[in-house]
Amino acid sequence: MPVLSEHLRALLETDYPRFSDGEMQRRRTAVATTMAENNVDHLIFYGAHRAGSAVQWLTQWMVTNEAAGIFTPGERDTVFIHYFNHLPLARRMALDADMRWAGENTAANLIEELIKRGAKPGRIGIIGPLGFDAHAALSTRFGPLVNLNRAYVNLRLVKSAEERDWFRIGAYFSDLGMAALRDTAQPGVNERELANAIERAYVGLGGQTVIHYIGTTSMHDPQVAVPRQYCSTRRLQKGDIVFSEITATFWDHSGQILRSFTIDEEPTPLYRELYAVADKAFDAMAGVLRAGALPADVVKASGVIEDAGFTVIDDILHGYGGGYFPPILGARSRSNGPIPEQPFVAGQLVVVQPNVVTLDGKAGVQSGEMVLITETGIERMQQLPRGFIRL
């Protein structure tokens, strides 16, 4: 079973863990520098429906229904949130921000606060999925907003030492979920029951679910080649394959692990070959990853999949840690478009995940996990062993 260091366990046992003042100042300085480079005086950062990583990154408040903040270098952030009953906890978690109720009109509150801060037309930036109506109201008053979403992604690519610790806990939770699937999967159990077991493994420790995609099918008559996003009532049978992609999170800091298992029977020759190719592809891609390596190097390394007569459905690699970040790579036979040219950098998190499938799209396996790019290679973030396991 995966384990945590004493340092990380102490962090896990904190009611509402916080990043250090030094870490928060690092982030604010980076944002202020980006704003200056883009001739922006004030920044709106936005999130809604439990999504919007910039809010948490800047204030330590996890978005619930809606949060719209204003960042002005040298001033205290003001953040408008829904609902009113969320304010007490928001004020406890985001100690350095002025947390307010958004009332009936979030945009009107943002406009009023920006006027108080002396905002000028054309000098306001935006990070996050601000809605059409709010965007229109702000643009009418202040002119076009400066889109800093791409710049924000660049700020999030390299993780600090403190951030890496939080992501290790997310990886630990994800490992626990996969171990629970492994230990629960047996003939008669259905996919929804597997999902329940996965969540029970980490929710009691403070983890939350991002995804648990599960695929089950007979190895003798395969009809599912990639884990499905919603669980069915299908019950496991002897001779099935179970494969899954699990992401659990620790306060918006996630891991990601992908594994395949067989039920009460050894892999068939086809599935043994599929997994052998996936294993070879993982090692080949991981083998080229290091600071300075190019995404094209990874795609080339993944060519062992096509050389073996197979293809993929899922992405073979994507950036991670605060979002689904670049590079997002497809294989030679299933392209995602032009291959990005930006090299990998030390401190970057990526998920290597070869989903090797037959050309008819009926049979497949999943293998992979989140890793940290270093100067000389990778550091594993997930602890659960790789390998095709018979249950």
Side-chain angles (χ1 to χ4, degrees):
M1 289 292 290
V3 296
L4 279 184
S5 68
E6 293 212 2
H7 164 62
L8 296 184
R9 188 161 291 282
L11 184 62
L12 178 60
E13 293 172 356
T14 304
D15 277 346
Y16 301 107
R18 296 183 57 77
F19 284 98
S20 69
D21 290 345
E23 169 63 18
M24 297 307 294
Q25 187 56 53
R26 178 191 73 83
R27 299 176 184 183
R28 298 182 70 81
T29 298
V31 171
T33 300
T34 297
M35 291 169 62
E37 291 171 348
N38 289 274
N39 299 314
V40 165
D41 299 325
H42 310 276
L43 172 70
I44 297 169
F45 53 95
Y46 183 87
H49 307 299
R50 301 186 183 277
S53 63
V55 177
Q56 192 271 354
W57 200 62
L58 286 171
T59 71
Q60 308 204 59
W61 166 243
M62 293 274 292
V63 178
T64 50
N65 185 62
E66 182 180 54
I70 298 175
F71 176 103
T72 305
E75 296 189 29
R76 189 184 188 197
D77 293 348
T78 297
V79 183
F80 299 97
I81 74 167
H82 280 101
Y83 297 105
F84 195 88
N85 61 311
H86 295 192
L87 273 174
L89 182 58
R91 287 169 174 161
R92 177 175 178 179
M93 294 178 65
L95 296 175
D96 298 323
D98 179 9
M99 305 298 289
R100 304 180 190 175
W101 181 42
E104 295 182 357
N105 192 323
T106 301
N109 282 301
L110 290 171
I111 290 169
E112 181 181 355
E113 180 64 22
L114 286 165
I115 290 172
K116 288 180 181 178
R117 296 186 180 209
K120 299 176 182 178
R123 306 280 297 189
I124 299 173
I126 175 70
I127 294 173
L130 187 67
F132 178 84
D133 289 342
H135 188 278
L138 285 154
S139 298
T140 298
R141 180 61 180 81
F142 296 107
L145 304 182
V146 180
N147 185 350
L148 295 182
N149 282 290
R150 188 177 296 275
Y152 168 70
V153 168
N154 287 332
L155 293 181
R156 295 299 310 273
L157 289 182
V158 175
K159 275 57 178 180
S160 69
E162 284 188 48
E163 288 175 323
R164 292 197 294 270
D165 277 348
W166 287 46
F167 283 112
R168 286 189 176 93
I169 299 177
Y172 168 74
F173 286 158
S174 303
D175 283 345
L176 290 179
M178 188 64 77
L181 180 148
R182 177 198 64 198
D183 296 342
T184 304
Q186 59 183 327
V189 175
N190 72 29
E191 292 179 10
R192 293 178 182 175
E193 291 167 338
L194 290 176
N196 183 55
I198 290 166
E199 294 203 14
R200 300 289 71 74
Y202 51 75
V203 169
L205 299 174
Q208 294 182 318
T209 298
V210 178
I211 61 171
H212 41 52
Y213 299 163
I214 300 171
T216 69
T217 191
S218 169
M219 290 188 290
H220 303 285
D221 182 25
Q223 300 297 323
V224 180
V226 66
R228 290 172 167 171
Q229 290 70 51
Y230 297 99
C231 297
S232 77
T233 59
R234 183 184 183 277
R235 295 192 178 278
L236 298 179
Q237 303 171 33
K238 179 180 178 179
D240 276 356
I241 180 174
V242 180
F243 49 139
S244 183
E245 177 179 12
I246 295 175
T247 292
T249 184
F250 174 70
W251 299 103
D252 205 31
H253 292 71
S254 304
Q256 190 162 106
I257 182 169
L258 307 96
R259 295 288 187 269
S260 301
F261 311 97
T262 64
I263 301 298
D264 203 23
E265 192 173 289
E266 293 297 328
T268 63
L270 172 60
Y271 276 93
R272 194 178 300 279
E273 183 181 8
L274 284 166
Y275 194 83
V277 173
D279 211 32
K280 185 176 180 181
F282 182 96
D283 288 339
M285 291 189 286
V288 302
L289 285 173
R290 59 182 50 81
L294 297 174
D297 300 331
V298 175
V299 176
K300 181 179 180 180
S302 76
V304 297
I305 297 171
E306 286 80 11
D307 293 345
F310 298 122
T311 185
V312 300
I313 295 176
D314 206 347
D315 303 322
I316 61 168
L317 178 145
H318 62 81
Y320 209 54
Y324 200 83
F325 288 153
I328 302 170
L329 304 179
R332 191 171 73 206
S333 57
R334 207 282 289 167
S335 172
N336 273 354
I339 299 174
E341 297 182 358
Q342 185 174 354
F344 294 98
V345 293
Q348 185 176 1
L349 287 175
V350 301
V351 177
V352 182
Q353 52 174 46
N355 159 233
V356 180
V357 306
T358 53
L359 296 181
D360 62 8
K362 289 187 174 183
V365 296
Q366 195 91 45
S367 177
E369 59 191 44
M370 181 175 72
V371 301
L372 177 71
I373 305 293
T374 71
E375 291 290 347
T376 58
I378 62 168
E379 175 188 335
R380 291 191 65 196
M381 298 291 280
Q382 311 293 154
Q383 299 179 47
L384 209 66
R386 288 168 49 215
F388 204 9
I389 300 175
R390 171 185 171 175
L391 302 180

